Amino acid sequence: MTTGGQFITPGSESVRMVHFLLAAAAAGGADARRMAREARIPDWVLRSGEAMTSPDFALRLWELAEHAFDDPSLPLTFAAHFEPGELDLYDYLFTTAPTLRHGLELSGQYLHLLTTNARLEIETETDREVTYSYRYLVADGRGADLALQLSVAVFAARARAGTGQPIVPVRLAFRQRAPRSH
């Protein structure tokens, strides 16, 4: 598949992630233009609002952001810049769902609107709790670790926005070590 003259792998994601990361980095004082150049992000990605692109751009931005900031909780800091509604239809479906569970089901069902490189699935379920997993299909390294931490924080922010209540996961586990202060 091609977009804007670029080959897109089956594991692709919305350019919105690149835009979000650059905006969050700029809000924190980093030179977003320099980061975009260092990540070799094509101009069409920066200009486009609805295209899909390689997840490698966002993963590289995460690595550059980690080096630009002395913040052991960088994904949580960046998540604070997330505004419910930024993800358009994806956020709308979640925040208008009748229950949190239905919102999470819709998130898994329509995740392809943001990325074809991740899965949100129910792992286990009892009458008291549900365990969800979120994973990337094609991603590794430190950029993937940071991106997964951001994803969890954004899911929690969306849950708060959708329910109007504080949402705190009962248990949270990552393949990598959690940020030092959490």
Side-chain angles (χ1 to χ4, degrees), residues 75-98:
L76 299 176
T77 301
F78 276 21
H81 295 281
F82 174 75
E83 292 290 329
E86 275 186 76
L87 302 176
D88 289 337
L89 178 59
Y90 189 71
D91 274 349
Y92 174 80
L93 292 170
F94 183 88
T95 57
T96 59

Side-chain angles (χ1 to χ4, degrees), residues 8-93:
I8 306 301
T9 62
S12 60
E13 72 181 24
S14 172
V15 295
R16 290 176 181 272
M17 182 52 65
V18 169
H19 297 181
F20 173 80
L21 292 173
L22 289 171
D31 184 344
R33 287 181 191 207
R34 191 189 91 239
M35 286 177 66
R37 277 193 312 276
E38 288 179 13
R40 294 188 176 105
I41 298 172
D43 287 339
W44 70 265
V45 171
L46 300 173
R47 288 190 311 266
S48 179
E50 298 301 325
M52 298 296 275
T53 190
S54 169
D56 293 342
F57 294 126
L59 295 175
R60 179 70 180 129
L61 281 175
W62 270 116
E63 293 172 3
L64 292 168
E66 184 174 46
H67 292 291
F69 294 93
D70 184 25
D71 182 354
S73 301
L74 187 62
L76 299 176
T77 301
F78 276 21
H81 295 281
F82 174 75
E83 292 290 329
E86 275 186 76
L87 302 176
D88 289 337
L89 178 59
Y90 189 71
D91 274 349
Y92 174 80
L93 292 170

Side-chain angles (χ1 to χ4, degrees), residues 99-165:
T99 66
L100 177 57
R101 181 185 178 114
H102 190 67
L104 288 167
E105 287 172 1
L106 288 170
S107 289
Q109 183 178 355
Y110 290 99
L111 189 58
H112 67 275
L113 295 173
L114 298 178
T115 181
T116 62
N117 191 35
R119 294 292 178 267
L120 174 66
E121 300 170 321
I122 293 177
E123 288 295 317
T124 62
E125 183 173 6
T126 68
D127 56 340
R128 294 195 56 194
E129 65 181 50
V130 178
T131 301
Y132 291 89
S133 70
Y134 184 81
R135 63 185 168 85
Y136 289 116
L137 304 177
V138 181
D140 58 7
R142 186 65 181 150
D145 294 346
L146 296 168
L148 284 170
Q149 291 174 28
L150 175 77
S151 296
V152 170
V154 168
F155 274 113
R158 291 171 69 230
R160 279 190 303 276
T163 64
Q165 299 176 20

